[in-house]
């Protein structure tokens, strides 16, 4: 121990005292709380934590192909593949933030970013006037979660366990809300059916033409709006926008029900052995989430811009692109996670991922895009074609039948996958 004398400094700021850290190190230390992973470890885990991130090489290819105006198929393919690892990274960043936040904030975060790809693709298509792509991609996301992802999970879990159990009350509450949102999409179709023969294109009390309004709602005549008069079209928009506001209120109430008042219903019957440790500090996860969201928005914009030319040149039905291909990209990360949880016999988590994500799409994303379209003067409505409405209704009906007993097996998974393949075949030839 050094001898203390009259020359010993009172403060360690000289005479051999330790030199202060450089400014950039002090900034990093201030951002990283003690005991949290460093920025280097956080981004190393973020970028190299999954083999799927190899596909990030297609992100610059998506940008280059767009600016150099390469063939539409290349632009579509590069953007299509690029969104897959970006969707997984969005999920990773959201999960890491959820580990540090409370239950309520985690629920709100998952509500906002759990389907970020669908929101980004939907807004990009909406601003480009591709209303049919918006509708089919959102409907496809619901069907993909309910039939494809849940079906693969039941099938995978059934190959390892003869029967898997889950909390039936929570599953029924979620499926009931899914049924409600499905009914709200049937009502505009019923309104259209009742009003379709009430007038022609000349409708309106003052005899003014409503062709521009019809072209905005149904640019290619795919929905059969040409038989509606001005009052009916106006009513269709009022129904859709009013329903969108009500659905958002119901979704907020559902979050409160799930996270606060009845959270005990969503407690897994199979508990994890150890709590998961965060691999990213909260600042790194937040910045990564922001960066990936911005990059995904550009790739989604390039993807939507190439759909029209790709569909026409290679004779691919646009409803098939919106209903089948785009949701597979957006749900890639959820698909892997759901199957993995089923193989671990954590069926509550699987139900939460599949049915919960479908509820987010139907009760949060769809109404949100209707309101965004209202603000940006793009007349997106909740009126789907009759065939699409029937497909959604029978899908929700089958899922309700299969989960009402609180048990799952591989045969139920096979049923869900069969219905999904039949729907995909129908939209391919539509």
């Amino acid at each position: 121990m050094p001898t203390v004398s009259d020359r010993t400094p009172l403060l360690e700021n000289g005479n051999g005292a330790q030199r202060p850290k450089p400014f950039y190190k002090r900034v990093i230390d201030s951002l990283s709380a003690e005991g949290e992973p460093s920025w280097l470890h956080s981004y190393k885990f973020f970028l190299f934590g999954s083999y799927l991130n190899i596909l990030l090489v297609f992100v610059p290819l998506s940008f280059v192909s767009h600016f150099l105006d390469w063939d539409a198929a290349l632009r579509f393919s590069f953007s299509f593949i690029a969104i897959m690892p970006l969707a997984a990274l969005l999920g990773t960043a959201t999960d890491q933030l959820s580990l540090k936040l409370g239950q309520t904030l985690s629920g709100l975060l998952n509500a906002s970013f759990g389907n970020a790809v669908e929101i980004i693709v939907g807004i990009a298509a909406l601003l480009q006037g591709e209303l049919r792509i918006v509708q089919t991609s959102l409907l496809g996301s619901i069907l993909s979660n309910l039939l494809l992802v849940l079906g693969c999970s039941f099938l995978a879990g059934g190959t390892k366990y003869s029967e898997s159990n889950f909390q039936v009350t929570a599953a029924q509450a979620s499926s009931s809300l899914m049924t409600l949102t499905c009914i709200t999409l049937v009502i505009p179709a019923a309104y259209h059916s009742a009003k379709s023969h009430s007038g022609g294109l000349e409708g309106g009390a003052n005899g003014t033409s409503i062709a521009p309004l019809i072209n905005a709602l149904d640019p290619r005549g795919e929905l059969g709006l040409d038989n509606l008069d001005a009052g009916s079209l106006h009513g269709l928009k009022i129904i859709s926008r009013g329903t969108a506001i009500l659905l958002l209120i119901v979704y907020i109430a559902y979050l409160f029900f799930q996270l606060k008042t009845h959270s005990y219903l969503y407690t897994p019957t199979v508990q994890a052995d150890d709590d998961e440790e965060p691999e990213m500090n909260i600042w790194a996860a937040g910045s990564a989430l922001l960066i990936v969201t911005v990059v995904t928005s550009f790739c989604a914009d390039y993807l939507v811009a190439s759909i029209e030319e790709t569909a026409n040149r290679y004779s691919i039905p646009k409803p098939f692109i919106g209903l089948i291909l785009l949701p597979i990209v957006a749900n890639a990360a959820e698909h892997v996670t759901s199957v993995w949880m089923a193989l671990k016999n954590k069926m509550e988590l699987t139900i939460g991922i599949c049915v919960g994500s479908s509820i987010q799409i139907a009760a949060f994303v769809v109404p949100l895009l209707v309101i965004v379209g209202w603000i940006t003067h793009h007349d997106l409505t909740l009126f789907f074609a009759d065939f699409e409405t029937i497909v959604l209704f029978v899908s929700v009906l089958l899922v309700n039948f299969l989960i009402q007993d609180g048990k799952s097996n591989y045969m139920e998974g096979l049923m869900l996958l069969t219905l999904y393949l039949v729907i995909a075949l129908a939209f391919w030839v539509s």
Side-chain angles (χ1 to χ4, degrees):
M1 184 174 180
T3 304
V4 179
S5 66
D6 58 344
R7 296 182 178 274
T8 302
L10 296 176
L11 299 176
E12 295 183 357
N13 59 357
N15 293 340
Q18 185 178 4
R19 297 181 62 182
K21 292 182 179 180
F23 175 74
Y24 73 93
K25 286 189 177 181
R26 283 182 285 164
V27 171
I28 293 177
D29 290 342
S30 66
L31 293 177
S32 179
E34 184 178 355
E36 288 191 349
S38 65
W39 280 74
L40 179 61
H41 180 275
S42 298
Y43 271 96
K44 183 178 179 181
F45 167 79
F46 187 68
L47 295 176
F48 302 105
S50 171
Y51 288 109
L52 186 64
N53 291 347
I54 295 175
L55 298 179
L56 287 173
V57 69
F58 286 94
V59 173
L61 287 175
S62 172
F63 281 72
V64 171
S65 63
H66 175 76
F67 287 108
L68 296 183
D69 198 23
W70 289 357
D71 182 76
L74 288 177
R75 288 184 278 125
F76 178 84
S77 300
F78 289 158
S79 300
F80 182 89
I81 299 174
I83 290 178
M84 295 180 69
L86 292 173
L89 290 178
L90 283 171
T92 299
T94 303
D95 288 341
Q96 291 298 313
L97 280 175
S98 298
L99 293 175
K100 299 297 295 183
L101 300 175
Q103 192 179 42
T104 302
L105 289 178
S106 297
L108 294 175
L109 185 68
N110 286 319
S112 301
F113 289 96
N115 290 292
V117 174
E118 286 90 344
I119 296 175
I120 294 170
V121 173
I123 291 178
L126 182 66
L127 296 180
Q128 294 185 32
E130 295 284 356
L131 302 187
R132 289 290 291 149
I133 290 295
V134 177
Q135 287 188 324
T136 54
S137 64
L138 294 177
L139 177 64
S141 294
I142 297 173
L143 296 178
S144 175
N145 281 303
L146 287 180
L147 301 180
L148 179 62
V149 181
L150 188 60
C152 288
S153 301
F154 281 0
L155 184 62
T159 59
K160 190 173 181 181
Y161 307 98
S162 61
E163 198 171 70
S164 298
N165 298 317
F166 51 87
Q167 174 62 264
V168 63
T169 306
Q172 286 181 341
S174 299
S175 64
S176 298
L177 180 56
M178 190 67 239
T179 304
L180 171 65
T181 58
C182 176
I183 292 173
T184 61
L185 297 181
V186 173
I187 291 175
Y191 176 83
H192 165 259
S193 178
K195 294 290 186 178
S196 58
H197 302 292
S198 61
L201 286 177
E202 292 77 13
N206 57 4
T208 57
S209 174
I210 61 168
L213 184 57
I214 290 178
N215 290 332
L217 286 170
D218 188 18
R220 293 172 182 81
E222 296 168 329
L223 297 178
L225 294 178
D226 53 321
N227 292 325
L228 289 178
D229 58 17
S232 299
L233 283 171
H234 182 64
L236 193 61
K237 291 194 294 182
I238 291 177
I239 291 173
S240 299
R241 292 165 181 173
T243 302
I245 295 173
L246 293 174
L247 282 178
L248 287 176
I249 295 174
V250 171
Y251 183 70
I252 294 173
Y254 172 70
L255 286 180
F256 189 73
F257 176 87
Q258 184 180 26
L259 300 175
K260 283 291 185 182
T261 60
H262 291 71
S263 59
Y264 59 90
L265 294 178
Y266 298 86
T267 303
T269 57
V270 179
Q271 298 289 347
D273 295 334
D274 297 310
D275 293 333
E276 184 180 355
E277 292 294 331
E279 297 287 348
M280 301 178 69
N281 67 65
I282 192 169
W283 292 98
S287 62
L289 184 64
L290 178 62
I291 293 172
V292 174
T293 300
V294 172
V295 174
T296 304
S297 66
F298 280 100
C299 290
D301 191 58
Y302 303 153
L303 176 67
V304 172
S306 64
I307 287 177
E308 183 76 31
E309 187 177 350
T310 302
N312 293 335
R313 180 174 297 183
Y314 297 96
S315 301
I316 303 175
K318 286 181 67 176
F320 182 84
I321 294 177
L323 193 90
I324 304 299
L325 297 183
L326 295 184
I328 290 177
V329 174
N331 296 328
E334 292 174 344
H335 198 156
V336 174
T337 303
S338 179
V339 172
W340 185 249
M341 291 298 103
L343 288 173
K344 291 184 175 182
N345 201 27
K346 298 180 179 179
M347 201 53 68
E348 276 92 356
L349 295 178
T350 295
I351 298 293
I353 291 171
C354 300
V355 180
S357 183
S358 297
I359 290 174
Q360 283 186 8
I361 294 292
F364 175 68
V365 179
V366 173
L368 177 65
L369 289 181
V370 169
I371 293 174
V372 170
W374 186 8
I375 296 173
T376 59
H377 305 290
H378 293 84
D379 294 320
L380 180 66
T381 70
L382 296 178
F383 171 64
F384 289 76
D386 293 342
F387 176 60
E388 296 167 3
T389 305
I390 293 173
V391 163
L392 176 61
F393 184 79
V394 297
S395 300
V396 173
L397 190 65
L398 178 60
V399 172
N400 279 336
F401 283 149
L402 295 183
I403 68 175
Q404 65 182 357
D405 61 349
K407 301 176 182 178
S408 68
N409 52 60
Y410 73 89
M411 194 63 199
E412 293 182 348
L414 190 60
M415 294 177 192
L416 294 172
L417 288 176
T418 300
L419 178 57
Y420 186 77
L421 293 176
V422 170
I423 292 172
L425 181 63
F427 274 90
W428 175 261
V429 300
S430 63

